Amino acid sequence: MFLNNAWYVAAWDHEIGRDLTQITVLGRNVCIFRTQGGDIVALDDACPHRKLPLSMGRIKGDTVECGYHGLTFDCVGQCVWAPGGRIPSEARVHAYPTHEKYGLVWIWMGNPVLADPEEIFEIANWGDPTWGINRGEAMELDCNYLLMCDNLLDPTHVAWVHGSSFGQAATKDTPLRVKKTDQGVIVHRWMLDVEPAPFYKKVIAFKGNCDRLQHYEVRYPSHALIRAVFTPAGTGGPDGPLDANTFIMDSYNFMTPTTAGKTRYYWFQLRNIRPNDAALSQMMSEDVQHAFEEDRAVLNAVQKGMSTKTSPHIDLPIDGGQLRFRRQLEAMIAEEAAVDAAMAR
């Protein structure tokens, strides 16, 4: 089950042009394209006549012509031409609100009246010339989106899955703190006077041990901020001032459920050092992509394991944040379904 009244990432902005393109979001196929003026249009990808995907048709100006019998639809989904001269009143398709922000195309899958672009995940330091950025192409995961949400509320897994990059000894058993907010759940911890993890050794400006913050935050329905802070040992911690050499990397992660068992995963990082260093951006992108491939292999296998299990799975104390997130999201989905049912009566 999915939360419909929410913004999801439909695509990177460069992925959508004048060609009709089919994407799948929350199990629904959507025909998406740009108008001649560059605006994004997203329509149900099924002609109401015989359900041929509109994405198999043709774009004519700012309208879409079905490739079977030529029914033509405008940008709000209304049929403006049909063979035989008479346009049936049912000849229309649903149009989804869209918005472009942060180099991403966002889509609202629920009630269009409720779509407010101000509710899109706010990204601090976006466009700040003193912060660098690295990113990669979207990843296809053969798992339910909630498994990736679980993963991004789990600082402990890095010790085993990412031992050559993000993991270190302290990530195995340093106690976690869990905080529930109106927007989601945060799992975090400071690890004090520890050796930097291998990936970060290559980018931090200071030598020796560090104080490290792992801030794992997932917001409803499936958007995450993973903040990594590295500061010289003795200068970090919940109450300690940060040092001038402090390194911060904010990783933004957006999970779009395509079907119950598949997810499209978008990500990028902002860093507070060397904003114009293209070699650093490339190195970080490649290393992060490698780490995410490790996640993909594990989560795809977990999906298979959970789908074919012959005995119940168990939860550990480290799963507290994940369980809180799932319970609240489940309650939100149930409330939305109840409201929809009441309105339909």
Side-chain angles (χ1 to χ4, degrees):
M1 297 180 66
F2 309 116
L3 189 70
N4 291 298
N5 289 319
W7 289 101
Y8 293 91
V9 174
W12 284 107
D13 57 5
H14 66 264
E15 294 179 312
I16 306 302
R18 288 287 286 159
D19 293 334
L20 300 176
T21 301
Q22 184 187 84
I23 63 171
T24 304
V25 182
L26 308 193
R28 284 175 264 172
N29 291 331
V30 177
C31 174
I32 191 167
F33 65 96
R34 288 187 185 272
T35 67
Q36 296 174 99
D39 295 329
I40 297 284
V41 177
L43 305 173
D44 263 337
D45 197 15
C47 176
H49 178 221
R50 290 294 184 263
K51 299 301 182 180
L52 183 77
L54 291 177
S55 57
M56 292 179 64
R58 306 166 190 85
I59 190 165
K60 300 182 71 175
D62 285 343
T63 63
V64 178
E65 179 186 77
C66 177
Y68 197 8
H69 294 95
L71 279 77
T72 304
F73 301 87
D74 65 15
C75 294
V76 296
Q78 181 60 50
C79 182
V80 295
W81 188 89
R86 186 180 68 85
I87 300 175
S89 59
E90 301 89 354
R92 58 183 179 272
V93 293
H94 183 79
Y96 298 92
T98 61
H99 189 75
E100 290 189 73
K101 196 172 186 179
Y102 310 128
L104 297 164
V105 177
W106 299 79
I107 189 167
W108 182 274
M109 301 301 293
N111 185 343
V113 175
L114 302 178
D116 181 1
E118 293 298 318
E119 294 182 3
I120 291 175
F121 196 113
E122 187 66 29
I123 295 181
N125 302 307
W126 177 265
D128 186 333
T130 66
W131 285 67
I133 186 169
N134 57 284
R135 69 190 97 193
E137 294 300 314
M139 297 177 62
E140 302 291 342
L141 308 176
D142 292 328
C143 68
N144 184 275
Y145 74 107
L146 288 174
L147 290 179
M148 180 53 85
C149 291
D150 289 346
N151 193 66
L152 295 174
L153 281 170
D154 177 18
T156 302
H157 84 277
V158 301
W160 288 273
V161 179
H162 308 304
S164 64
S165 55
F166 302 148
Q168 62 191 104
T171 56
K172 291 183 177 181
D173 51 20
T174 301
L176 300 169
R177 295 189 177 186
V178 179
K179 178 182 178 182
K180 183 179 176 182
T181 71
D182 291 339
Q183 297 176 308
V185 173
I186 299 171
V187 179
H188 64 107
R189 62 183 170 190
W190 275 97
M191 295 168 287
L192 304 178
D193 197 11
V194 297
E195 183 180 2
F199 170 81
Y200 298 102
K201 276 186 178 180
K202 296 187 288 186
V203 296
I204 58 178
F206 58 88
K207 303 295 183 181
N209 281 1
C210 69
D211 295 337
R212 175 183 181 181
L213 171 68
Q214 283 184 299
H215 174 105
Y216 280 45
E217 176 179 357
V218 182
R219 301 181 189 174
Y220 311 117
S222 53
H223 310 318
L225 163 62
I226 310 301
R227 167 165 286 181
V229 177
F230 285 79
T231 190
T235 65
D239 303 316
L242 300 181
D243 184 84
N245 290 316
T246 294
F247 170 76
I248 301 173
M249 185 175 81
D250 288 339
S251 179
Y252 292 93
N253 309 263
F254 306 102
M255 286 66 70
T256 299
T258 51
T259 67
K262 293 184 181 294
T263 302
R264 201 161 196 237
Y265 178 33
Y266 302 83
W267 60 273
F268 60 84
Q269 279 92 31
L270 295 174
R271 63 179 186 273
N272 69 333
I273 63 167
R274 296 155 59 185
N276 301 314
D277 190 331
L280 176 62
S281 294
Q282 181 177 352
M283 182 274 290
M284 293 180 69
S285 293
E286 291 174 352
D287 283 7
V288 169
Q289 182 77 46
H290 175 74
F292 288 169
E293 290 293 345
E294 294 172 333
D295 283 323
R296 172 156 59 179
V298 168
L299 294 177
N300 288 354
V302 167
Q303 177 69 62
K304 291 181 181 178
M306 296 292 273
S307 299
T308 59
K309 64 184 179 183
T310 57
S311 60
H313 71 274
I314 64 171
D315 296 313
L316 301 174
I318 59 173
D319 300 322
Q322 306 162 31
L323 296 174
R324 287 192 188 187
F325 181 85
R326 282 180 175 252
R327 283 195 297 266
Q328 181 57 30
L329 182 58
E330 183 178 344
M332 294 168 68
I333 293 171
E335 180 182 14
E336 181 181 86
V339 171
D340 289 346
M343 293 179 64
R345 288 200 293 266

